[in-house]
Amino acid sequence: MDIEIVASAGSKRLSEPFFLKKVLLEKSGDASDLTTIATSVHAVMLESGFMLLKNRGCFDKFTFSKELFTVSLMYTLPELITKTTVEYVTIRFQSLSNTVVVYGSLGGGRMVQRVSLNKYRFVSVIDLVVDTLKFEKQAFCSSYRNVFMLWKIVKDGISIPLSMALCEKYGLVGPACLMRLPTELKLKILEVVPGDGVAKMACVCREMRSLASDNDLWKQKCLEEAKHLVVNRSSISWKAEFATFWKQRQKARRALRSDMEIDRSMTSPGISAHLRKAYRMSRLREVLRKRQR
């Protein structure tokens, strides 16, 4: 099989929206939803360091027929190109009614990664990226965030796992990635992260959610950040206790900020002395009631 190497991303680092626009303009074909999604996934693969293997111009312009429900593309890493064989990964697209399912596998073997991309959510945003003026005007809204969400879904779910699998299989230096660290080191990182940061780390992936669910870890966070918390039960969900404490602390902080804003407004020159005196008396009675509790 004659295989032509199509160059991957250039050395100049572009932001995700502009790199996506660059690839969309280079690979312009039909305007079907499958083509739009596949071209965007292709952009993520190139930005991740992959190179497209093109078989006799089969997918030169990514012009996929609307009647074509499944499409496959092959990629490799530059370090794996040899004179005899080229090791590759396969990306397969399956077009459904309102989603495009993207599968990734090593070679032509079993599917090892899968993500689902909603057409209604992402196709209009991808089309908007091509029109720079419209996109810049709407950069503050959800359209801008959806571009990065698309990029994150494909990169975390497809390109990085496949790149790590190839590098591990052939002894190459893998991509810089938190998930490549040993489990013990990831636990150490969670131990020094604040409690709300641990909750955010749990949203990264299944492994981090599992590590961030450790009861002893949340007990440590309670002892560090909620020292006044007294729990007499032996079997307890420390994560739930920390969540309750954190919500109460956030509520107290919002109330404090509100009181400070009121205090500043009451000291403005436009407020009469009578109103300022009445406000101070009400604040004093409130403090006394809290002390009596």
Side-chain angles (χ1 to χ4, degrees):
M1 180 175 65
D2 295 331
I3 297 179
E4 180 183 350
I5 303 300
V6 180
S8 62
S11 58
K12 185 178 179 181
R13 180 70 169 88
L14 299 175
S15 65
E16 283 80 357
F18 284 99
F19 185 74
L20 177 57
K21 176 184 177 181
K22 177 177 180 292
V23 175
L24 287 170
L25 293 177
E26 289 177 352
K27 292 289 181 184
S28 59
D30 66 80
S32 67
D33 293 344
L34 177 59
T35 299
T36 302
I37 295 291
T39 307
S40 303
V41 173
H42 172 66
V44 179
M45 294 295 289
L46 293 185
E47 193 270 342
S48 301
F50 282 96
M51 303 179 74
L52 176 66
L53 299 179
K54 187 181 67 173
N55 181 19
R56 297 191 180 98
C58 186
F59 297 114
D60 188 22
K61 288 295 183 180
F62 283 46
T63 52
F64 304 143
S65 170
K66 293 182 179 180
E67 291 77 23
L68 195 62
F69 295 104
T70 60
V71 178
S72 297
L73 297 175
M74 296 182 296
Y75 296 86
T76 189
L77 297 174
E79 298 87 347
L80 297 179
I81 298 174
T82 64
K83 295 181 180 180
T84 55
T85 60
V86 178
E87 302 293 345
Y88 62 92
V89 299
T90 301
I91 303 297
R92 185 166 69 89
F93 304 90
Q94 183 180 18
S95 181
L96 303 178
S97 58
N98 61 345
T99 61
V100 173
V101 184
V102 186
Y103 300 91
S105 62
L106 288 176
R110 61 186 181 86
M111 298 304 173
V112 294
Q113 300 295 139
R114 183 184 71 178
V115 297
S116 297
L117 302 175
N118 188 288
K119 295 178 184 178
Y120 300 124
R121 179 180 184 185
F122 293 118
V123 170
S124 59
V125 177
I126 297 169
D127 292 337
L128 185 64
V129 168
V130 180
D131 193 331
T132 306
L133 294 178
K134 287 185 179 179
F135 187 74
E136 288 179 350
K137 289 180 181 179
Q138 301 185 28
F140 62 89
C141 68
S142 60
S143 297
Y144 197 89
R145 293 192 298 270
N146 280 335
V147 173
F148 290 97
M149 180 56 66
L150 168 70
W151 208 274
K152 180 181 182 300
I153 291 173
V154 178
K155 194 159 189 175
D156 292 349
I158 298 292
S159 65
I160 287 182
L162 291 179
S163 178
M164 292 172 59
L166 271 180
C167 292
E168 183 178 353
K169 184 176 180 179
Y170 297 101
L172 301 176
V173 178
C177 179
L178 170 66
M179 303 315 299
R180 294 182 63 243
L181 298 176
T183 302
E184 295 78 9
L185 187 53
K186 283 181 281 194
L187 284 172
K188 289 294 183 182
I189 293 174
L190 291 177
E191 289 177 1
V192 299
V193 173
D196 58 336
V198 174
K200 294 175 182 177
M201 292 286 286
C203 300
V204 172
C205 63
R206 293 178 181 176
E207 182 183 358
M208 292 305 299
R209 181 164 66 248
S210 175
L211 295 177
S213 300
D214 184 71
N215 202 44
D216 291 335
L217 174 65
W218 285 106
K219 180 179 180 180
Q220 174 189 336
K221 298 305 171 186
C222 287
L223 294 176
E224 291 175 353
E225 303 183 38
K227 298 179 180 179
H228 64 282
L229 188 64
V230 179
V231 180
N232 296 323
R233 289 172 291 167
S234 57
S235 59
I236 179 178
S237 172
W238 287 97
K239 181 179 179 180
E241 292 294 329
F242 184 90
T244 302
F245 154 74
W246 188 83
K247 291 177 182 178
Q248 292 174 349
R249 185 177 64 179
Q250 293 297 105
K251 183 178 179 180
R253 287 179 176 177
R254 286 193 295 268
L256 179 60
R257 284 196 296 268
S258 178
D259 290 343
M260 292 176 64
E261 291 176 359
I262 294 175
D263 288 342
R264 284 195 296 267
S265 65
M266 294 303 296
T267 56
S268 61
I271 302 298
S272 64
H274 175 72
L275 286 177
R276 284 198 292 269
K277 181 178 180 181
Y279 174 72
R280 286 196 296 267
M281 291 299 297
S282 65
R283 293 286 290 168
L284 180 60
R285 285 193 292 269
E286 183 180 351
V287 171
L288 292 174
R289 282 197 300 270
K290 289 182 178 180
R291 288 182 178 179
Q292 290 175 357
R293 294 175 187 173

